[in-house]
């Protein structure tokens, strides 16, 4: 059985009209009797038939000369967008994030885009033997490499060379075909430390190995679980985007080197997760956890004074979000 919805009816009518068919003509194409068939089509399109069979829907689409895959993909896209809109409507201070812009997009636009990508990712997951998400792996590796270069106080002018080498190694690692012998000569410019090439290769191959293990363990969740995952993702992104916006503004004010922005934002996320876990539950454990996080990132090369300012900003935003949820 197929559950009727207004969106389903609208799409059915749309493909019938695109085929320039009347209800009677469509009924005839479906092999139905003229009078009763026309009545059946009218009831189907108006929602009087609450649970039409999948075969009925497919027969309708075929009679219109429509593309079944395109039809169900469009229906899925519409329903997914409605689900996301419902969750987005519950975000505290929605008007505020609709006006704040980062890199040309409002925070709300970024959340909507990311939510759509996340929903598609969990709905159409790859099988364990398929290729891992290259864009996601590249992003993770790039963050780790930038942190590595920061720890070694790398000259800013040399960073693009190291990153170019990183992408080269990543392509080799993801390529299932035999690769030619590794040639590092194109990247051996003045000032380049060859020892960092080995560290970069280690980061690339270790990250890919970890992601492949995750892929092999992954199970496709049920529809209900998928919806809850998308709702949770949207709420998380709504909080994180507002925290990162505040942190980004703070880093600009403190004239922090742009190369370190990603690291400080990762640190801010770690603080946020600790707050979610311990705030208003165990204050002493929260203080201890925040201190441990700061020590860890300080060892990675971040400045303690800046980290304290970032932590204060995260706590401030977190309290604001809690207050808005309570008021709502």
């Amino acid at each position: 059985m197929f559950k009727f919805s207004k969106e389903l009816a609208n799409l059915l009518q749309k493909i019938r009209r695109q085929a320039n068919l009347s209800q009677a003509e469509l009924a005839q194409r479906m092999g139905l009797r003229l009078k009763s068939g026309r009545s059946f089509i009218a009831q189907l399109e108006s929602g009087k038939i609450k649970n039409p069979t999948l075969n009925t829907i497919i027969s309708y689409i075929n009679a219109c000369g429509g593309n079944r895959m395109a039809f169900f993909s469009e229906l899925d896209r519409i329903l997914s967008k409605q689900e996301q809109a419902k969750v987005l409507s519950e975000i505290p201070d929605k008007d505020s994030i609709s006006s704040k812009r980062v890199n040309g997009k409002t925070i709300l636009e970024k959340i909507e885009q990311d939510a759509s990508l996340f929903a598609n990712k969990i709905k159409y997951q790859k099988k364990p033997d398929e290729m891992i998400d290259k864009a996601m792996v590249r992003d993770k590796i790039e963050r780790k490499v930038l942190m590595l270069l920061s720890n070694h106080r790398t000259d800013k002018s040399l960073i693009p060379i190291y990153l170019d080498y990183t992408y080269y190694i990543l392509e080799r690692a993801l390529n299932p075909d035999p690769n030619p012998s590794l040639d590092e000569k194109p990247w051996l410019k003045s000032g380049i430390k060859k020892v960092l090439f080995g560290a970069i290769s280690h980061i690339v191959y270790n990250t890919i190995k970890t992601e492949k293990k995750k892929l092999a363990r992954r199970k496709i969740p049920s529809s209900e679980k998928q919806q809850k995952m998308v709702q949770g993702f949207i709420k998380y992104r709504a909080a994180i985007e507002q925290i990162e916006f505040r942190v980004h503004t703070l880093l600009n004010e403190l004239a922090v080197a742009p190369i370190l922005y990603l690291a400080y934002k990762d640190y801010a996320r770690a603080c946020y997760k600790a707050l979610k876990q311990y705030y208003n539950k165990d204050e002493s454990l929260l203080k201890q956890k925040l201190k441990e996080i700061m020590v860890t990132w300080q060892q990675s090369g971040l400045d303690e004074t800046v980290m304290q300012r970032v932590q204060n900003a995260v706590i401030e935003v977190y309290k604001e979000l809690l207050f808005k949820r309570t008021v709502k």
Side-chain angles (χ1 to χ4, degrees):
M1 305 294 285
F2 206 88
K3 188 175 180 180
F4 176 84
S5 68
K6 183 180 178 181
E7 292 71 30
L8 172 64
N10 289 341
L11 275 181
L12 288 173
Q13 291 179 50
K14 179 181 176 182
I15 63 169
R16 176 173 63 78
R17 287 165 183 162
Q18 286 176 340
N20 199 26
L21 294 172
S22 66
Q23 291 180 336
E25 290 170 331
L26 177 59
Q28 190 175 16
R29 284 195 179 193
M30 291 175 66
L32 304 173
R33 291 182 180 180
L34 184 58
K35 189 174 181 180
S36 61
R38 182 186 176 285
S39 176
F40 176 81
I41 298 299
Q43 290 180 57
L44 178 64
E45 292 183 354
S46 65
K48 290 182 180 179
I49 300 176
K50 299 297 182 184
N51 298 102
T53 66
L54 181 58
N55 284 339
T56 297
I57 302 300
I58 291 176
S59 178
Y60 185 109
I61 297 168
N62 288 342
C64 292
N67 184 307
R68 285 172 288 178
M69 288 186 66
F71 178 88
F72 288 112
S73 293
E74 176 68 7
L75 180 61
D76 181 67
R77 185 190 67 77
I78 292 171
L79 295 176
S80 295
K81 193 169 182 180
Q82 286 182 342
E83 290 172 4
Q84 293 170 29
K86 183 180 178 182
V87 180
L88 286 166
S89 68
E90 299 172 359
I91 295 176
D93 201 19
K94 186 178 177 182
D95 292 338
S96 175
I97 63 174
S98 298
S99 60
K100 294 175 181 175
R101 289 186 170 273
V102 179
N103 298 327
K105 287 184 179 179
T106 66
I107 291 178
L108 185 60
E109 287 171 342
K110 288 183 67 181
I111 294 171
E112 289 175 332
Q113 182 181 25
D114 290 347
S116 179
L117 292 172
F118 180 77
N120 287 332
K121 181 179 178 180
I122 59 176
K123 282 185 179 180
Y124 309 110
Q125 294 195 48
K126 302 182 177 90
K127 295 177 182 178
D129 59 342
E130 292 184 41
M131 188 68 74
I132 59 178
D133 186 335
K134 182 178 176 180
M136 177 270 295
V137 171
R138 175 177 168 136
D139 183 59
K140 283 189 176 183
I141 290 171
E142 186 176 293
R143 287 170 180 257
K144 292 177 182 179
V145 169
L146 286 173
M147 181 59 71
L148 171 74
L149 299 178
S150 172
N151 291 340
H152 283 79
R153 304 185 184 282
T154 304
D155 187 328
K156 291 181 183 179
S157 64
L158 299 177
I159 290 174
I161 299 174
Y162 284 112
L163 287 178
D164 192 38
Y165 177 77
T166 301
Y167 305 144
Y168 167 70
I169 295 297
L170 178 59
E171 287 295 332
R172 288 175 61 89
L174 292 175
N175 188 353
D177 300 321
N179 287 305
S181 299
L182 180 61
D183 181 14
E184 298 177 343
K185 291 180 181 177
W187 293 275
L188 292 176
K189 311 294 183 182
S190 176
I192 289 291
K193 298 176 182 177
K194 191 173 180 180
V195 67
L196 291 181
F197 285 174
I200 289 172
S201 294
H202 181 74
I203 288 173
V204 171
Y205 283 99
N206 262 15
T207 303
I208 291 175
K209 183 179 178 181
T210 300
E211 293 305 318
K212 283 184 175 179
K213 284 182 178 179
K214 289 180 183 177
L215 192 63
R217 292 195 302 265
R218 188 169 62 189
K219 294 179 181 178
I220 298 177
S222 64
S223 298
E224 185 179 352
K225 177 68 173 175
Q226 288 178 13
Q227 187 174 354
K228 288 182 179 178
M229 289 171 70
V230 172
Q231 290 173 343
F233 177 83
I234 290 174
K235 289 175 182 176
Y236 171 75
R237 289 298 299 162
I240 283 297
E241 285 293 342
Q242 294 183 73
I243 286 171
E244 290 194 352
F245 180 84
R246 188 75 61 86
V247 170
H248 190 93
T249 303
L250 174 63
L251 296 176
N252 280 340
E253 292 173 359
L254 298 175
V256 173
I259 188 177
L260 295 175
Y261 276 34
L262 286 177
Y264 279 111
K265 287 180 180 181
D266 282 344
Y267 165 70
R269 290 189 183 202
C271 292
Y272 169 70
K273 288 178 181 178
L275 286 165
K276 276 192 71 178
Q277 188 171 3
Y278 301 112
Y279 187 77
N280 278 346
K281 297 173 185 175
D282 191 326
E283 291 301 316
S284 61
L285 196 54
L286 174 60
K287 288 180 181 179
Q288 180 185 336
K289 188 65 178 177
L290 290 174
K291 186 175 180 180
E292 289 174 0
I293 294 170
M294 182 177 288
V295 169
T296 300
W297 284 89
Q298 190 176 5
Q299 291 171 348
S300 299
L302 298 190
D303 181 84
E304 183 179 359
T305 304
V306 176
M307 281 195 292
Q308 188 60 61
R309 294 284 298 275
V310 168
Q311 185 182 112
N312 293 341
V314 174
I315 294 172
E316 184 181 336
V317 176
Y318 186 80
K319 287 180 178 179
E320 289 173 5
L321 292 173
L322 279 183
F323 174 74
K324 288 169 185 174
R325 290 193 192 107
T326 303
V327 171
K328 189 173 182 179

